[in-house]
Amino acid sequence: MTGLSSLLRSATTLLALYSSARAAPTLYASNIRVQNHTSDRFASQLNKRAVAFDYNGDKVRGVNLGGWFVLEPWITPSIFDEWATSHTVVDEYTYTKTLGKAEASSRLSNHWNTWITQGDFNEIAQAGLNHVRIPIGYWAVAPVDGDPYVQGQLDVLDNAIGWARGAGLKVMLDLHGAPGSQNGFDNSGRYGSVEWQQGDSVAQTLTALQNLANRYKGDTDVVTAIELLNEPLGPKLDLAGVQDFYNKGYDTVKSASSNFAVTFHDAFQDFSTYWTGFGSGKSDLMLDTHQYQIFSPPEVGRSPSDHVSAACALGPKLAGTNKWIVVGEWTGAQTDCAKWLNGLGKGARYDGSFPESTYTGTCDGKYTGTVAGLSSDDKNNIRSYVEAQLDAYEQHTGWIFWTWKTESAPEWHMKDLIAEGLFPQPLNSRQHPGQCG
């Protein structure tokens, strides 16, 4: 889901005094931005504690800015429509390869500067949220020779950090794609085989993390966490190697600034058991788990009440986890109906149009459409399901919804779910109280 360039930002001036009490209230002085011939930007924070969000005492309530710096066909199908029949372009890799660098740069620059704006950050804050998770690809910060990807994302990301600061939001930067692809999903930048951990790919990923952390080490009043890698596909990877990468990635990020929390994904292992002993002695370590109930036939076949029950069952598991844990991706969707959600040109399990699936229900109004246009039953089911997940996920560190906006996938479009009353406002209001007991 993202993109990263090879620019390193250094600085000659650092003025910082850190309070030692982790639980003390956060106090900030004005941030000072300094420039010199080797650095476009640097900010010093005064009177700031180690991590500028109390992940022990406060709840993360956030949203992902998906489809911005890492393309996903289902979030912005208009970008991929010209290949809807040929299926020759299915991800950002084939998009940039097919268009060439000049045309891809022109189109993507327009997308980066229009898909998410300062107004979105303000609306997110007004909705009561306190975090945004921003996916970015390795190619934005540490491009690899021979790759077709284009750069320029970081100038816009720099602006986004300022927008977040102005809106009072914290940012988790999420390395969403690694060289070779860590999962083979289109949201890694390249759909197909999983080739991460081959050749120099792990070292290149660490370089991307180093560049990212160095660039924003002066913005830790806003950038409170860096996620080492999104969704490495554990069943197809050497898990010992994943853990080794996480250890090295943690050291890489913390060496840039001790003020970052470090987030790592569960690699599709049981978050409540597999990672219990990992990271002993490490401070500011956060586990990320993604909870969807739609990407297998049994899950997508659940009734609305079964979806709620499954969500509620996660609450005690999260509460019993021995480190900070955030549900870093989840959705209001109880179907996989959204156009191209399973890949460009692919159908849905819910209506039986995906290979080896059987019919559960119709995708009318959910393949493409608007939140306002959903049926009354769908609206009620989404509201109930969202409330159950909020109640469950706040039993530990909190949650980050996927995603803020889409072009035409109503079950996933948080901005419109809020506008239509399907996402609670305020966040603690309930139309279906007590679902999780």
Side-chain angles (χ1 to χ4, degrees):
M1 302 171 184
T2 39
L4 306 171
S5 112
S6 60
L7 295 178
L8 287 168
R9 304 294 176 102
S10 61
T12 59
T13 305
L14 174 60
L15 301 173
L17 297 173
Y18 305 114
S19 64
S20 60
R22 186 168 186 75
T26 307
L27 301 173
Y28 301 109
S30 60
N31 297 290
I32 305 164
R33 193 167 291 277
V34 181
Q35 294 186 345
N36 64 22
H37 67 286
T38 62
S39 173
D40 291 333
R41 57 193 261 312
F42 195 81
S44 65
Q45 293 83 44
L46 303 182
N47 300 322
K48 194 182 81 59
R49 71 171 169 217
V51 175
F53 185 85
D54 183 2
Y55 290 107
N56 285 316
D58 295 332
K59 299 300 180 186
V60 173
R61 298 179 175 112
V63 66
N64 286 275
L65 303 182
W68 191 12
F69 299 126
V70 179
L71 296 181
E72 298 192 41
W74 72 273
I75 296 178
T76 54
S78 67
I79 290 178
F80 292 85
D81 271 344
E82 61 191 277
W83 302 283
T85 301
S86 68
H87 301 170
T88 53
V89 172
V90 297
D91 53 27
E92 189 158 339
Y93 185 95
T94 50
Y95 180 87
T96 52
K97 184 177 182 179
T98 298
L99 291 177
K101 289 191 179 290
E103 181 63 18
S105 292
S106 175
R107 296 192 191 187
L108 286 177
S109 179
N110 178 68
H111 170 68
W112 298 330
N113 283 285
T114 57
W115 179 242
I116 299 291
T117 67
Q118 184 172 10
D120 290 294
F121 280 76
N122 295 339
E123 285 187 59
I124 290 166
Q126 290 162 9
L129 305 181
N130 55 33
H131 275 69
V132 290
R133 180 172 178 259
I134 304 181
I136 193 88
Y138 76 90
W139 55 90
V141 289
V144 174
D145 289 345
D147 279 352
Y149 297 114
V150 298
Q151 287 71 51
Q153 305 91 328
L154 293 183
D155 289 338
V156 184
L157 181 55
D158 290 348
N159 292 336
I161 303 307
W163 300 337
R165 181 178 286 114
L169 295 168
K170 303 307 182 188
V171 173
M172 178 184 293
L173 295 177
D174 154 45
L175 191 63
H176 219 71
S181 179
Q182 72 277 18
N183 52 34
F185 306 155
D186 58 13
N187 57 54
S188 72
R190 189 170 188 177
Y191 174 81
S193 59
V194 178
E195 297 180 7
W196 187 68
Q197 293 187 329
Q198 298 180 22
D200 296 328
S201 59
V202 172
Q204 291 164 341
T205 309
L206 291 170
T207 297
L209 287 170
Q210 183 177 51
N211 292 354
L212 188 66
N214 282 338
R215 187 181 186 95
Y216 295 107
K217 64 185 179 183
D219 292 298
T220 55
D221 61 311
V222 176
V223 182
T224 54
I226 292 179
E227 182 153 4
L228 301 177
L229 187 59
N230 180 71
E231 295 185 347
L233 189 56
K236 290 192 175 181
L237 294 168
D238 172 12
L239 281 169
V242 173
Q243 291 196 34
D244 182 65
F245 163 74
Y246 282 164
N247 281 316
K248 291 176 179 175
Y250 176 92
D251 292 342
T252 297
V253 171
K254 281 293 194 179
S255 69
S257 175
S258 62
N259 301 335
F260 290 123
V262 179
T263 308
F264 69 102
H265 183 259
D266 63 17
F268 301 101
Q269 307 303 300
D270 188 329
F271 67 80
S272 66
T273 58
Y274 186 85
W275 298 101
T276 299
F278 178 77
S280 177
K282 288 180 166 57
S283 62
D284 309 322
L285 186 65
M286 185 185 307
L287 179 57
D288 175 24
T289 184
H290 298 171
Q291 295 296 326
Y292 297 115
Q293 297 185 35
I294 53 174
F295 292 117
S296 71
E299 289 175 312
V300 84
R302 290 172 180 165
S303 68
S305 62
D306 287 340
H307 281 292
V308 166
S309 295
C312 288
L314 289 169
K317 290 184 67 176
L318 291 163
T321 304
N322 69 345
K323 49 179 64 69
W324 296 340
I325 181 167
V326 64
V327 180
E329 292 187 20
W330 60 284
T331 177
Q334 297 183 350
T335 79
D336 63 338
C337 287
K339 178 182 178 180
W340 297 344
L341 177 64
N342 294 305
L344 191 148
K346 293 180 170 57
R349 297 168 186 84
Y350 191 74
D351 68 358
S353 59
F354 188 81
E356 299 182 10
S357 64
T358 58
Y359 181 88
T360 298
T362 178
C363 282
D364 290 351
K366 297 185 284 290
Y367 177 70
T368 60
T370 64
V371 176
L374 291 169
S375 71
S376 58
D377 282 347
D378 283 337
K379 289 179 179 179
N380 182 69
N381 291 336
I382 289 173
R383 172 77 189 219
S384 172
Y385 185 40
V386 166
E387 288 186 12
Q389 291 181 90
L390 294 178
D391 290 344
Y393 303 158
E394 289 201 8
Q395 291 183 39
H396 208 321
T397 311
W399 49 268
I400 307 175
F401 187 87
W402 189 278
T403 182
W404 175 239
K405 60 189 289 192
T406 71
E407 286 183 342
S408 59
E411 296 175 287
W412 299 77
H413 196 306
M414 188 185 197
K415 178 178 178 179
D416 284 359
L417 291 172
I418 290 172
E420 295 296 327
L422 275 62
F423 206 106
Q425 289 289 286
L427 295 171
N428 61 358
S429 68
R430 295 291 179 267
Q431 294 177 3
H432 306 271
Q435 292 185 106
C436 293

